[in-house]
Amino acid sequence: MFGSLIALLVSLLLVGLTATTGARFRPDGWYRELRKPSWTPPDIAFPIAWGILYLLMAIAAWRIYMADDSPFRTAGLVVYGLQLLANAAWSWLFFGRKQITAALADIVLLLGFITLAIVLFANVSLLAAWLMVPYWLWVALALTLNAAILRLNNRA
């Protein structure tokens, strides 16, 4: 029981560390001046959505970590770690470096890692895989938004 609680806390800590780049590199005047599609979610939607998604991700990873050892478990945790890195990089690239194209490349990679994590997780825990689906949907929306902003602002 104690080990399970520690594992959950570590999982929450890892997503919390990932979230720090989103908290550090935030929308600013540059972002507000960009042309955005009419369907862009309101600014308030982002911290609410991410808070929920990070919690679901942490629970999913915790369930996988607590499962019996297997190649799918190991691969799933490795891919999960890679997607956390890609997730953290996006805010830095888009808001910190103002590199819309590089952020788009990163988010394509991120969505690929999430997709692979879901497939691997499904071989260990269907619940863990399903907990990642809202995250996949949100990142797919974010990818579409990133691409639309690139197109509307004609930036390289």
Side-chain angles (χ1 to χ4, degrees), residues 21-107:
T21 59
R24 181 159 184 242
F25 301 104
R26 299 163 32 119
D28 57 10
W30 169 80
Y31 176 75
R32 287 187 236 330
E33 295 295 321
L34 290 174
R35 294 178 57 209
K36 294 177 264 325
S38 61
W39 49 266
T40 301
D43 288 348
I44 190 65
F46 291 92
I48 294 168
W50 279 113
I52 294 166
L53 296 171
Y54 281 134
L55 178 60
L56 294 176
M57 290 164 55
I59 293 169
W62 168 70
R63 287 192 54 86
I64 297 301
Y65 180 80
M66 295 306 297
D68 292 338
D69 191 25
S70 74
F72 287 112
R73 175 186 172 268
T74 302
L77 291 172
V78 168
V79 171
Y80 180 82
L82 292 172
Q83 70 81 26
L84 286 178
L85 292 173
N87 179 310
W90 187 88
S91 293
W92 174 72
L93 289 168
F94 191 91
F95 295 116
R97 305 279 304 174
K98 298 174 178 33
Q99 295 294 317
I100 301 170
T101 303
L104 181 60
D106 176 76
I107 204 167

Side-chain angles (χ1 to χ4, degrees), residues 133-151:
V133 170
Y135 176 41
W136 188 97
L137 293 168
W138 184 257
V139 171
L141 172 69
L143 186 155
T144 306
L145 180 58
N146 191 150
I149 290 172
L150 178 63
R151 182 181 53 80

